[in-house]
């Protein structure tokens, strides 16, 4: 992998990740852009103890442009985009309309390929590995920013999820705090560690699932399963078999196998509802340990956390979505219409050819 860092016309950082070591990236952003102005602010909810990002400037972000005006395609044929070069393998740049900025963190866009009509599932294994390497590098770089405590790499896919740019891409949020969902996991890990005299909760969960009926697929270094208490109709958790706290901890064997396992999983997701259905909308979310101190979680260190990816769709059956209504949105109590055992069975049935 070759990494080339440059700047866009308004000062935002852009990084090319290339498969070929001899690739030259010297294209200049020729757009007449003003400096990016953001109003991002983090506010603490005293009753719930969590945080909310207020980002009113995002109301003006690009919304469902036609394919020939996509800002994530390369700059070519006289049309200038967010990527100055006429081609690229993988590229990462600071979001022009960030939810988090400055002392409030940082937001980046990850373009998986220059092919506007592709999807992550359609990538080859070398390209998917390059994306993994880019995620890992960005996790490392962002973890060193003084305002950043947790790095979150994710992909939103599909209009039903709220995606406004159809080009295959994901995002990275670098939070200035430990996110509420991660904090819940860490509290459970701490409680389990104390109750069992030191057993790791993540290890116990993975061991139990590997011995049960909800495993979807398993490689030498990775295992994917539908969790016992899945919140979403079709939800899969992907874990490396050797527990590591973040993407930086993966060894070469796990990195090499990841593309094959993950691409197979995504392709199965696209087949859940039948060959004639539109692509399955989903969220793919990497959970990594915070980089700050974990003193508030008794006896827990970063090494007690387990890196994993959670993949889920809001589609519950053909033509029907799972809405977060009163119980879910009002009380955070999920009601799942698809038994996890049946979801796992279906995902095994649709093994991609």
């Amino acid at each position: 992998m070759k990494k080339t860092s440059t700047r866009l016309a308004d000062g935002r950082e852009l990084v090319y990740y290339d498969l070929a070591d001899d690739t030259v990236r010297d294209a200049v952003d020729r757009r007449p852009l003003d400096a990016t102005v953001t109003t991002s602010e983090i506010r603490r909810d005293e009753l719930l103890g969590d945080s909310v990002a207020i980002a009113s400037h995002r109301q003006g972000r690009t919304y469902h442009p036609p394919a020939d005006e996509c800002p994530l395609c390369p700059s070519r044929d006289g049309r200038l985009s967010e990527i100055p070069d006429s081609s690229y393998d993988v590229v990462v740049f600071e979001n022009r309309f960030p939810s988090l900025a400055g002392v409030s963190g940082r937001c980046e866009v990850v373009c998986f390929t220059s092919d506007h009509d592709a999807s992550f599932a359609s990538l080859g294994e070398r390209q998917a590995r390059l994306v993994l390497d880019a995620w890992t590098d960005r996790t490392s770089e962002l973890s060193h920013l003084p305002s950043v405590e947790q790095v979150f790499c994710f992909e939103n896919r599909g209009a039903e999820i709220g995606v406004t740019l159809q080009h295959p891409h994901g995002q990275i949020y670098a939070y200035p705090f430990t996110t509420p969902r991660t904090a819940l996991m860490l509290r459970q890990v701490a409680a389990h560690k104390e109750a069992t005299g030191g057993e790791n909760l993540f290890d116990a969960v993975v061991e139990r699932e590997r011995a049960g009926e909800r495993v979807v697929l398993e490689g030498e270094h990775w295992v994917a399963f539908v969790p016992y208490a899945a919140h979403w109709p079709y939800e899969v958790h992907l874990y490396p078999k050797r527990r590591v706290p973040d993407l930086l901890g993966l060894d070469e064997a796990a990195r090499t196998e990841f593309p094959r396992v993950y691409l197979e999983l995504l392709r199965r997701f696209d087949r859940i509802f039948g060959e004639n259905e539109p692509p399955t909308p989903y969220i793919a979310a990497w959970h990594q340990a915070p980089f700050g101190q974990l003193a508030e979680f008794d006896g827990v260190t970063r090494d007690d956390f387990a890196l994993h990816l959670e993949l889920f769709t809001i589609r519950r059956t053909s033509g029907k979505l799972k809405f977060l209504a009163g119980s879910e949105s009002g009380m955070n109590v999920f009601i799942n219409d698809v038994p996890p055992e049946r979801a796992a069975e279906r995902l095994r049935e649709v093994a991609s050819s």
Side-chain angles (χ1 to χ4, degrees):
M1 178 188 77
K2 181 180 180 182
K3 174 184 175 182
T4 306
S5 181
T6 184
R7 292 281 172 180
L8 296 174
D10 55 8
R12 288 175 293 134
E13 184 179 17
L14 179 145
V15 184
Y16 294 99
Y17 294 90
D18 287 294
L19 291 167
D21 291 337
D22 59 352
T23 303
V24 176
R25 297 295 184 187
D26 55 8
V28 176
D29 185 4
R30 295 183 284 112
R31 296 172 298 169
L33 297 180
D34 295 328
T36 301
V37 177
T38 67
T39 57
S40 179
E41 174 188 359
I42 301 296
R43 296 187 181 181
R44 181 78 170 172
D45 187 317
E46 296 180 3
L47 291 179
L48 297 179
D50 60 10
S51 299
V52 177
I54 309 296
S56 59
H57 62 279
R58 283 176 53 79
Q59 290 281 34
R61 67 189 185 273
T62 308
Y63 187 80
H64 291 300
D68 60 357
E69 296 180 16
C70 175
L72 306 185
C73 288
S75 293
R76 57 171 66 132
D77 301 326
R79 191 184 68 83
L80 304 178
S81 74
E82 287 280 68
I83 296 90
D85 217 325
S86 59
S87 66
Y88 64 84
D89 289 336
V90 172
V91 70
V92 178
F93 59 88
E94 289 184 74
N95 198 323
R96 192 176 179 187
F97 302 96
S99 301
L100 310 166
V103 296
S104 299
R106 177 157 155 157
C107 292
E108 298 183 339
V109 176
V110 184
C111 297
F112 303 141
T113 171
S114 61
D115 184 354
H116 181 85
D117 298 318
S119 67
F120 202 119
S122 71
L123 300 181
E125 291 189 14
R126 288 187 71 219
Q127 187 76 9
R129 168 62 190 264
L130 185 61
V131 176
L132 174 64
D133 290 341
W135 282 330
T136 305
D137 181 73
R138 298 316 303 159
T139 296
S140 176
E141 292 288 335
L142 294 171
S143 71
H144 289 95
L145 296 180
S147 63
V148 172
E149 188 166 315
Q150 186 171 2
V151 179
F152 176 47
C153 306
F154 64 100
E155 180 192 3
N156 296 330
R157 194 266 192 114
E160 299 95 328
I161 298 293
V163 175
T164 58
L165 298 176
Q166 298 308 310
H167 194 105
H169 73 288
Q171 299 181 66
I172 302 175
Y173 278 20
Y175 297 101
F177 51 80
T178 297
T179 60
R181 188 172 177 85
T182 302
L184 287 173
M185 292 184 198
L186 290 170
R187 292 190 187 101
Q188 290 298 104
V189 169
H192 185 83
K193 190 173 186 178
E194 180 179 5
T196 60
E199 182 182 63
N200 183 273
L201 178 59
F202 287 108
D203 291 349
V205 168
V206 172
E207 182 179 358
R208 182 186 68 228
E209 293 291 359
R210 287 184 66 193
E213 59 182 316
R214 289 179 295 274
V215 171
V216 174
L217 59 89
E218 185 168 1
E220 183 178 355
H221 304 283
W222 295 86
V223 59
F225 56 83
V226 178
Y228 171 74
H231 288 57
W232 298 93
Y234 290 91
E235 174 182 340
V236 176
H237 293 189
L238 176 63
Y239 279 78
K241 291 183 179 179
R242 183 178 68 88
R243 173 166 44 91
V244 295
D246 52 42
L247 289 165
L248 301 170
L250 292 174
D251 60 22
E252 182 57 29
R255 293 180 185 281
T256 299
E257 186 182 68
F258 171 78
R260 179 179 62 80
V261 174
Y262 186 49
L263 291 172
E264 169 69 14
L265 193 57
L266 291 180
R267 290 162 186 164
R268 292 191 191 193
F269 251 60
D270 271 345
R271 297 161 69 97
I272 295 173
F273 304 104
E275 296 288 349
N276 297 322
E277 286 292 312
T280 301
Y282 65 73
I283 293 174
W286 280 110
H287 291 261
Q288 305 192 80
F291 286 94
Q293 297 296 318
L294 303 182
E296 63 182 289
F297 308 104
D298 294 339
V300 172
T301 69
R302 291 192 77 250
D303 289 337
D304 289 313
F305 195 85
L307 167 76
H308 63 284
L309 182 140
E310 297 186 7
L311 173 68
F312 60 90
T313 179
I314 63 171
R315 188 180 292 165
R316 58 187 175 87
T317 190
S318 180
K320 297 179 181 178
L321 301 180
K322 165 65 178 176
F323 292 103
L324 300 188
S327 185
E328 293 88 355
S329 296
M331 283 290 140
N332 201 27
V333 177
F334 276 67
I335 300 170
N336 190 351
D337 304 306
V338 180
E341 294 74 22
R342 174 54 191 149
E345 182 181 20
R346 178 58 181 160
L347 285 162
R348 289 193 297 268
E349 289 174 350
V350 295
S352 64
S353 57

